[in-house]
Amino acid sequence: MLDLNEKSRIPKIIAVSKTFKIDHILPLIEYGHLDYGENKVQEAVEKWTDIKLKNNKIKLHLIGKLQTNKVKFAVKVFDYIHSLDNEKLAKKIAEEQEKQNVKPRVFIQINLGEESQKSGITKNNLEEFYNFSKNIGLNIIGTMCIPPFGEDSTTFFSQMKELNNKINLDEISMGMSSDYLNALEFNATYLRIGSNIFGQRG
Ligand SMILES: *Cc1c(COP(=O)(O)O)cnc(C)c1O
């Protein structure tokens, strides 16, 4: 059973709007939803720069891979970065946030399945990487994972909960349209939901 009392906190829903045109997203913005997720920096800049100027309560989350040469633009438009996965990137974000005088909230992406095609810090390196990132000034608020496709996410979600407790972080970004109920049982605090909200992507 879902135990909402364990931390008595209500998870945030990030409406993942990648690939959808702004017209498709506007009704949800007008309704008052504030958290949106995009996986490409360029697309986010084009879609969200003006809207964020008009509505400064909107929070934008980068949920996709971040290349160091795009950090400058990412830090400008995104309030949250869910995909910190290497030291070079960490240093670049630290440098850029200083220059732009902003402080994005950052999640460390963990590669739980240790899949070579997926990004992320391995479990064994997490503590060291967390300390490194914190020491260079990043605002690390939690961890993030994308469980291996086609496998039962339960074992991965339960490991995330343990890892977070171990390094004493509050936020866990996990759970998508197909497995968010499962993620909630393991204290997910940010759910990343796309197709269940906006429909199938083309
Ligand atoms: C696209 C995406 C989502 C949302 O996926 P849905 O299955 O449409 O809910 C969540 N997280 C990441 C990292 C994604 O790229």
Side-chain angles (χ1 to χ4, degrees), residues 5-24:
N5 284 326
E6 191 173 341
K7 264 194 164 174
S8 63
R9 84 157 74 222
I10 295 169
K12 289 220 165 66
I13 295 173
I14 300 169
V16 176
S17 51
K18 64 186 185 196
T19 78
F20 288 105
K21 295 242 157 47
I22 201 70
D23 289 355
H24 193 82

Side-chain angles (χ1 to χ4, degrees), residues 16 18 39 63 144 146 176-178 192-195 201:
V16 176
K18 64 186 185 196
N39 67 341
I63 59 169
M144 177 270 211
I146 308 170
M176 317 190 351
S177 291
S178 58
R192 309 180 309 262
I193 317 263
S195 46
R201 284 177 294 273

